[in-house]
């Protein structure tokens, strides 16, 4: 006999037993109403307050993280702008060294050329030929009108001849002078052109410097904006960082593809070197060895890029003195070349092993091995790929640096977002707890509505009777207010 | 000694590095050991051509470091003389390929010259396979029985030795139906069941692959 049947047997009629138990339960619930309300309200308040406290703490953490993100981003922005400025100054310095180092000499040349030109110009100036003084006399004589005298005619004839000769001589001399001036002008032309070219070169250098100066101005503006830690700078850097994250991530994915191809090129021949039956953990030793070689190539590539100061993942390499850095660069390049050579040889070996395996497979399948395509193009292709891929993987350093730098910001942003979401969830949970408590209290009251209704009816009846009593006692009070002798107690008055 | 005293942490780090490296290397063997038993008795000897294709498949599938042995089932199979060919492939793929070629030639020669035996001592062959594979010690052990599983022992041969097949996978291949089986399939089922019980009692796993087109199921 179970408990339910025992409970139903308190009266001969089960329905009556249920009713009695229901009434008893209602009575118990009615009696326990206030403590229950207090407990649920306390619990709801506890949950609400705890969640609010936790949410406030999370919001605080999120704000701290936000501040840290901002600092990191602005610091990165400052570093970036400083690098850009440094690079521009380097370029300007190089341009000045290259183009304007010989400026004093150039200036002297220009001055000399200008002096020469001036002299030439002067000497090429047209100076009108002076006629001899006696020409005027002869001219006056020549104006004498012929009067038929033979002597005069002869004299005039001679004067004419003399004048003609003089004219011819003057003309010849003029031509000679003109040709001399032309010669001088012709000499001036290459000098002039050379001067023009020099000036053009100078102008180009100056305009290039102007351009760089403008760029420096722009970077300086950016730098000042970043230093002021303005919201605009923060937004710009944040957006730039996100873009960098996705672009560098994409490039890294492509690089991973290249590394996988590289791995496939060398994994099989590595089994010829380190054996194909040994394992490190669940992985074949030959596969691990192939992977290690690729990792070594990437590391060497990173060091190469560092020594060229293209990336700054290892500040210690960048801060080496130039001689040491150059030595480091040549060592890294040498190692990379050796690794590329090894990989090329492995690619060749792979081709041989693959061909041998294919031949064996065909023999086992009963096909003549002679039917295989015999070409050296795949072999050469694999060898070239084996040699080039390590050098290509070297450039992974650039997107890797960007990715690492951008990841800090992106991870910070994601963490801040997660904290914000967590704070929201905590607040929501707190409010839900609070209102759930109220809901439970109301539900409880709903379940025990009969005794509550009864209680309300009784209370209302008592209040009504009290009101009636008060209404019955009111005239006494008025009388009291109208100057009736105050009694010692209200009792007497009401009575 | 001075250098040692100066950089004890360096040596310690080096030691830890080497220790990690050796600790990482897997002591568990990943190699496979396959022992193929070929039934050369009675009419089943006609099926040997199919066995050649099976061996070629195994040669193409097994990797450097794996072991392959082929033994014949005849009147008294519990003997080293019944091992037709055996090889543990070298770690280097090129050498392993050469070994596979030599192995294939040996098998071709055997199939061309194999004689029919009067009796079928499958249990002796299995015992020989267990002994050989335990000696080689591969990571996973496979005994392939290319037979109709009809054991017929010659007089005086005792084969009531229980198999110790813990860690072994026993696979019956191309279990052909005999004339009696066609008349009463219960005979065939009883025969297969007997070998399954024997194998599983010894701690091994039992499978039957009759379709030689899906040999890839052997190592699954």
């Amino acid at each position: 006999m179970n408990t339910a049947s025992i409970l139903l047997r308190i009266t001969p009629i089960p329905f009556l037993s249920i009713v009695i138990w229901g009434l008893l339960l209602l009575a118990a619930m009615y009696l326990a109403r206030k403590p229950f309300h207090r407990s649920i309200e306390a619990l709801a308040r506890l949950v609400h307050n705890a969640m609010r406290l936790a949410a406030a703490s999370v919001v605080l953490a999120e704000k701290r993280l936000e501040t840290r993100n901002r600092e990191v981003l602005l610091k990165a922005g400052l570093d970036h702008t400083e690098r850009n400025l440094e690079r521009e100054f380097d370029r300007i310095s190089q341009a000045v060294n290259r183009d304007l180092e010989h400026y004093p000499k150039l200036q002297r040349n220009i001055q000399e050329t200008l002096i020469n030109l001036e002299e030439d110009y002067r000497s090429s100036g047209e100076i009108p030929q002076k006629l001899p003084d006696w020409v005027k006399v002869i001219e006056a004589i020549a104006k004498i009108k012929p009067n038929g005298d033979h002597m005069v005619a002869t004299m005039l004839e001679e004067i004419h001849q003399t004048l003609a000769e003089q004219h011819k001589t003057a003309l010849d001399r003029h031509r000679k002078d003109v040709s001399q001036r032309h010669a001088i002008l012709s000499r001036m032309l290459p000098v002039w052109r050379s001067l023009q070219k020099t000036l053009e070169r100078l102008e180009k250098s100056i305009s290039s410097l102007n351009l760089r100066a403008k760029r420096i101005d722009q970077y300086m503006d950016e730098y000042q904006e970043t230093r002021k830690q303005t919201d605009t700078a923060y937004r710009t850097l944040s957006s730039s960082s996100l873009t960098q994250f996705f672009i560098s991530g994409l490039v890294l994915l492509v690089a991973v593809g290249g590394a996988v191809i590289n791995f496939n090129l060398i994994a099989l021949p590595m089994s010829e070197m380190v054996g194909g039956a040994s394992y490190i953990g669940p992985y074949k030793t030959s596969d691990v060895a192939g992977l290690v070689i690729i990792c070594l190539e990437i590391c060497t590539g990173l060091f190469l890029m560092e020594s060229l100061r293209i990336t700054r993942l290892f500040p210690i390499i960048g801060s080496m003195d130039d001689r040491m850095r150059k030595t480091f660069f040549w060592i890294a390049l040498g190692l990379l070349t050796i690794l590329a050579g090894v990989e090329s040889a492995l690619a060749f070996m792979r081709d041989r092993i693959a061909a041998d395996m294919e031949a064996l497979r065909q023999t086992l399948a009963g096909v003549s091995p002679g039917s295989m395509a015999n070409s050296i193009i795949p072999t050469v292709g694999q060898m070239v790929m084996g040699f080039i891929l390590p050098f290509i993987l070297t450039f992974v350093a650039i997107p890797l640096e960007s990715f690492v730098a951008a990841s800090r910001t992106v991870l910070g942003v994601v963490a801040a977002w997660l904290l914000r979401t967590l704070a929201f969830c905590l607040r929501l949970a707190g409010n839900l707890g609070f209102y759930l408590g109220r809901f439970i209290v109301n539900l409880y009251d709903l379940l025990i509505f009969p005794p509550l209704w009864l209680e309300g009816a009784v209370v209302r009846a008592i209040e009504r009777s009290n009101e009636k009593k008060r209404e019955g006692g009111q005239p006494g009070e008025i009388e009291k207010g109208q100057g009736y002798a105050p009694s010692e107690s209200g009792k007497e008055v009401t009575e | 000694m001075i250098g040692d005293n100066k950089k004890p942490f360096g040596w310690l780090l080096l030691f830890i590095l080497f220790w990690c490296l050796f600790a990482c290397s897997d002591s568990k063997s990943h190699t496979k050991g396959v022992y193929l038993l070929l039934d050369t008795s009675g009419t089943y000897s006609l099926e040997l051509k199919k066995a050649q294709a099976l061996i070629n498949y195994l040669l193409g599938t097994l990797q450097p470091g794996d072991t392959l042995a082929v033994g014949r089932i005849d009147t008294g199979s519990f003997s080293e003389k019944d091992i037709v060919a055996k090889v543990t492939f070298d770690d280097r793929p090129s050498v392993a390929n050469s070994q596979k070629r030599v192995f294939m030639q040996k098998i071709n020669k055997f199939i061309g010259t194999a004689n029919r035996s009067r009796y079928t001592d499958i249990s002796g062959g299995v015992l020989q396979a267990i002994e050989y594979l335990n000696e080689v010690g591969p990571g996973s052990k496979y005994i392939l029985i290319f037979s109709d599983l009809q054991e017929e022992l010659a007089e005086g041969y005792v084969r009531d030795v229980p198999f110790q097949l813990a860690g072994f996978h026993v696979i019956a291949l191309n279990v052909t139906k005999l004339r009696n089986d066609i008349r009463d399939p219960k005979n065939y089922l009883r025969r297969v069941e007997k070998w399954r019980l024997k194998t599983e009692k010894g701690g091994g796993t039992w499978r039957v692959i009759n379709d030689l087109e899906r040999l890839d199921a052997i190592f699954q």
Side-chain angles (χ1 to χ4, degrees), chain A residues 271-272 276-277 279 281 356 364, chain B residues 24 26 30 56 91 93-94 97 101:
Chain A
S271 64
E272 195 70 22
Y279 282 76
D356 188 35
L364 292 172
Chain B
C24 280
D26 198 3
H30 289 74
N56 284 347
D91 277 358
S94 58
N97 283 352
R101 284 194 180 91

Side-chain angles (χ1 to χ4, degrees), chain A residues 5-57:
Chain A
S5 55
I6 294 168
L7 291 174
L8 289 175
R9 279 168 189 269
I10 55 165
T11 59
I13 307 159
F15 178 71
L16 189 64
S17 303
I18 291 170
V19 169
I20 289 169
W21 278 116
L23 287 173
L24 283 172
L25 187 69
L26 273 179
M29 281 173 80
Y30 175 73
L31 290 174
R33 184 177 169 243
K34 278 188 179 168
F36 181 79
H37 279 194
R38 275 199 297 272
S39 309
I40 291 295
E41 275 165 9
L43 184 70
R45 219 173 291 127
L46 179 80
V47 170
H48 183 237
N49 287 344
M51 290 298 162
R52 271 185 63 190
L53 202 67
S57 172

